[in-house]
Amino acid sequence: MFTHIFRFLSTSVLSAIVFYSLLWPTRIAAEPLGVKQSASIPIIRQFGDSITYGYGYVQCYGTPGICMGTTINGGQIQQCMTCAVYMWGGGYRGWMTELALQPSNQFGFATVGYQCGGSYTSQWQTNSMSHDGYPGFRTDQLVPIAMLPSVASITLVHAGTNDFAQGKSVDWATQNLTQIVKNLIQQSGNGTIYVAKIVRFMKPAASCTKCTDNTVLNPLVKTYNEWIDQKLANAIGTKFSNQVVIVDMYDALTLATDYSFDGVHPSPAGYQKMACSWIRAIKKMPSLPENPCSGFTFGETKSQTIPSESDLQKSLPQPEFMNRILQGKLKGASDF
């Protein structure tokens, strides 16, 4: 009884924090609290769907947050409130925080966004928990969110997975992605938009008999990624093409161990590769999709922030619930 009350109060307090962050997007740093933030560090907006949120590497024991509808500046946001805060998680965002906390990597950053769900202990402790990752969202649903005000100097975009899972075409996704990037450029001024060639689908684990095998959609993913690589710059116009950088995530995550049991969302190892790939691009290091974490130091955090196999099995929602998220069938708190 006491445990349930504690969890309810914790969720209520954290939900209030997230609500106020909607009203005042905050410049926050991946540095321990009390450390003066450097004015020269980049401000990063992590933008996308559940892969940005961090599914597959968020310890929520069955329910990844309470979602509600919130209207801001005419754009509809499905706000996913944080669940309890644990010792690991955050998807690639969490690994970016861990990399930033290692001085040898010489990489610091600040984050902005309209929600904090899916973030874990170190992200809350360092105020790097804000982001714009919305589970189940297609590219068309992300278009209005890209119009929300932002002070980001860098935006990381990984979007399109749900379009194909929900039966949309490559043309549909590319048109919306073009508008997303245009909107983000409009909001960021001279900021740089890093756009991912999205991760592939992997066969789900044999033990997950109720998981959908989405590998049949990989030809669509490849065509979409080829368009991003070859045509996105022209689609947004040569005036702004120098503000767009393409990052290869498709060739960075190629192993079954890079994925959670559902075959859609990365595992801790996969999210780690994503974090390294983003940082390599930001630091203008040579692209190295086959070994993106080469040259980076994780220190003790590498072992501390990888959960046990039993914890991983509890961290992702059950297949039926996961499929509803992927199909965009969750509408609000009443669905939980």
Side-chain angles (χ1 to χ4, degrees):
M1 179 69 177
F2 176 77
T3 301
H4 290 301
I5 294 173
F6 177 77
R7 287 181 177 175
F8 172 78
L9 291 175
S10 299
T11 302
S12 299
V13 170
L14 292 173
S15 295
I17 293 171
V18 175
F19 175 77
Y20 284 108
S21 75
L22 287 171
L23 302 179
W24 296 286
T26 309
R27 295 176 60 153
I28 48 186
E31 300 175 356
L33 293 177
V35 175
K36 186 176 180 180
Q37 180 178 329
S38 169
S40 63
I41 66 173
I43 302 168
I44 298 177
R45 184 181 187 185
Q46 296 148 326
F47 188 95
D49 49 35
S50 58
I51 291 176
T52 298
Y53 185 92
Y55 276 17
Y57 191 31
V58 175
Q59 190 175 11
C60 293
Y61 291 94
T63 303
I66 299 174
C67 295
M68 67 177 187
T70 304
T71 301
I72 301 177
N73 295 345
Q76 185 68 23
I77 289 184
Q78 181 173 316
Q79 180 67 28
C80 292
M81 297 302 188
T82 181
C83 54
V85 178
Y86 290 96
M87 294 304 295
W88 50 266
Y92 79 73
R93 300 179 299 100
W95 283 119
M96 287 185 70
T97 295
E98 294 299 339
L99 281 164
L101 290 173
Q102 300 299 315
S104 59
N105 293 320
Q106 298 182 344
F107 178 78
F109 66 93
T111 64
V112 290
Y114 286 86
Q115 72 148 313
C116 305
S119 300
Y120 83 115
T121 306
S122 287
Q123 291 172 285
W124 285 90
Q125 290 173 340
T126 61
N127 283 336
S128 61
M129 67 283 196
S130 294
H131 64 93
D132 277 311
Y134 299 91
F137 270 37
R138 302 182 305 268
T139 51
D140 61 308
Q141 295 169 305
L142 292 171
V143 167
I145 298 176
M147 276 299 294
L148 296 175
S150 176
V151 295
S153 55
I154 288 173
T155 304
L156 309 179
V157 180
H158 186 287
T161 300
N162 292 310
D163 294 60
F164 306 127
Q166 294 177 35
K168 301 300 181 180
S169 68
V170 172
D171 285 344
W172 162 279
T174 57
Q175 290 174 22
N176 290 317
L177 181 65
T178 300
Q179 194 59 54
I180 287 171
V181 175
K182 287 181 176 179
N183 290 352
L184 291 171
I185 289 174
Q186 180 179 336
Q187 293 302 317
S188 67
N190 295 323
T192 304
I193 315 299
Y194 293 79
V195 180
K197 294 161 64 174
I198 65 173
V199 300
R200 69 191 70 205
F201 293 102
M202 189 67 66
K203 273 189 171 295
S207 59
C208 190
T209 57
K210 296 183 179 180
C211 289
T212 302
D213 183 356
N214 290 294
T215 55
V216 294
L217 301 174
N218 279 335
L220 296 178
V221 173
K222 288 192 69 174
T223 302
Y224 177 64
N225 284 339
E226 288 170 359
W227 183 92
I228 290 173
D229 205 21
Q230 300 169 14
K231 299 182 179 180
L232 176 60
N234 288 336
I236 62 173
T238 54
K239 179 181 178 181
F240 303 108
S241 60
N242 65 334
Q243 291 181 244
V244 177
V245 176
I246 309 303
V247 182
D248 187 358
M249 296 295 180
Y250 185 86
D251 290 320
L253 276 67
T254 60
L255 306 174
T257 52
D258 291 333
Y259 287 81
S260 298
F261 67 79
D262 68 349
V264 177
H265 300 89
S267 65
Y271 277 126
Q272 188 180 98
K273 290 180 178 180
M274 289 188 72
C276 294
S277 298
W278 286 128
I279 294 176
R280 292 187 78 88
I282 293 168
K283 296 183 69 173
K284 296 181 172 57
M285 299 170 66
S287 177
L288 200 62
E290 67 277 9
N291 189 15
C293 293
S294 175
F296 292 117
T297 301
F298 286 91
E300 294 180 0
T301 60
K302 184 172 183 178
S303 59
Q304 291 173 349
T305 55
I306 294 181
S308 67
E309 188 61 33
S310 62
D311 278 336
L312 273 177
Q313 290 175 1
K314 292 182 287 186
S315 70
L316 202 64
Q318 292 303 304
E320 298 91 338
F321 187 79
M322 200 70 244
N323 286 334
R324 292 175 69 197
I325 294 171
L326 197 63
Q327 292 297 324
K329 294 180 179 179
L330 291 183
K331 304 301 181 184
S334 61
D335 291 300
F336 288 85

